[in-house]
Amino acid sequence: MTTTISVELPDSPYEVHVGRGLLSQVGGLVDLGELSRVLVVTQAPVARHHLQALVESLKAADHRVEVVEVPDGEGAKSPELLAHLWRKAASIPLTRRDVVVALGGGVVTDLAGFLAATWNRGISVVHVPTTVLAQVDAAVGGKTGINLSEGKNLVGAFHQPLSVVVDVETLTTLDERTRREGYAEVLKAGLLRDERIVTMLEDELPPMTGDVDERTVELISRSIAVKAAVVAADEREHGERAFLNLGHTVGHAVETMEGYGRWLHGEAVSAGMVAALRIGVATGQTPVELADRVEALLTTLQLPTRLPALERTELWQVLARDKKADRGVRFVLLEGLCAPVLSTPDRAVVDAVLDGLTGEAAHQEHV
């Protein structure tokens, strides 16, 4: 059974298809136009498991397919690699009626999306996300970008996909750590807009290895529906969409300062959400019971709830460069479950909270 979730944007609406075995159906599910050339951007581990089914589906729909592989990890989201992809597009050559297909996790989605946004001033992109994090977050909403040493995703563009195809069976090939980190974004969606997601995770965790159960499918579908609704209401992040940055202010700083790849994105967001909740408690905006509840759930998910030692002068420089900074460093806090609010807390409050979250209890993978 396939679930279709609509992203109702006035100028560029599209559909997210969620189901099992959809890799072999992409060519039929998505109208790419007649005889389009397709550039598939992927990574070697993903290609090994999933590329053949996708390519066969595209070729069966009479498309000419080229494939380019990029390295794993956030380091791939670099100006140098983007330039390599531009040259690949030129060598095909891709025209304005051709299509980029992103097959992979959040890194591939961001990078291939930015390639499509910038090639010939914008061509179509289809996302085929293969991780929990990419399925529930990166592939939906049109945010694309690359990193600089000064900060994450500082260079990018909004470029909505033509369509998104989520084959949940791709999750069976993930290692446990990669599968687990995606649930930070699932929980975030629940905290912002869907209490049922939170209670589902509290009642019983989905499997982190092996087969995908119906609980996983529902959690992913619900999380996508949250993202779709928020994006439809605020495509360019002028208002409500900013709430999707819950946990990302500190989380992006951790990724930048620790070196891209040492912390996975979901791990950094997990610790960042704890920081945001504790800042909310310190400012009197967040009930301590909610902060305790979320921290306990993240602990059950075996996700980080503590931070590495971050040199303060550099930290505030990174925070000030963050895209979300606006006349001060802006945090998404929670006044209650499904009650987010934007706030610019005093630096002293933030420093005190971060001091309390720093120490030996930081995620052991990164110590």
Side-chain angles (χ1 to χ4, degrees), residues 247-324:
H248 287 61
T249 303
V250 170
H252 279 176
V254 169
E255 291 182 88
T256 300
M257 294 177 67
E258 289 291 287
Y260 297 123
R262 191 163 180 231
W263 285 63
L264 298 181
H265 177 68
E267 294 167 344
V269 168
S270 173
M273 284 195 293
V274 174
L277 286 158
R278 295 302 175 188
I279 290 169
V281 172
T283 59
Q285 293 167 274
T286 302
V288 67
E289 297 82 7
L290 177 59
D292 291 344
R293 180 183 179 185
V294 173
E295 189 168 331
L297 182 49
L298 288 169
T299 300
T300 302
L301 283 163
Q302 297 179 38
L303 290 170
T305 59
R306 294 297 179 266
L307 295 165
L310 301 171
E311 199 280 321
R312 266 327 131 72
T313 300
E314 182 184 357
L315 171 64
W316 282 95
Q317 289 173 344
V318 172
L319 292 176
R321 285 194 296 266
D322 191 277
K323 303 180 304 304
K324 299 174 286 297

Side-chain angles (χ1 to χ4, degrees), residues 158-220:
F158 287 97
H159 188 64
Q160 298 297 338
L162 180 66
S163 184
V164 180
V165 180
V166 174
D167 186 343
V168 294
E169 290 182 355
T170 61
L171 304 182
T172 63
T173 62
L174 298 178
D175 63 84
E176 180 179 351
R177 182 183 174 195
T178 304
R179 193 150 153 186
R180 192 177 294 278
E181 63 129 356
Y183 283 93
E185 292 285 1
V186 172
L187 176 58
K188 182 198 77 176
L191 293 173
L192 292 175
R193 203 170 169 125
D194 186 349
E195 184 175 357
R196 173 65 178 157
I197 291 175
V198 180
T199 58
M200 284 181 69
L201 290 171
E202 289 175 325
D203 290 345
E204 182 182 351
L205 295 183
M208 298 298 168
T209 58
D211 291 339
V212 174
D213 62 6
E214 290 308 309
R215 191 177 199 80
T216 304
V217 177
E218 183 178 353
L219 286 166
I220 287 172

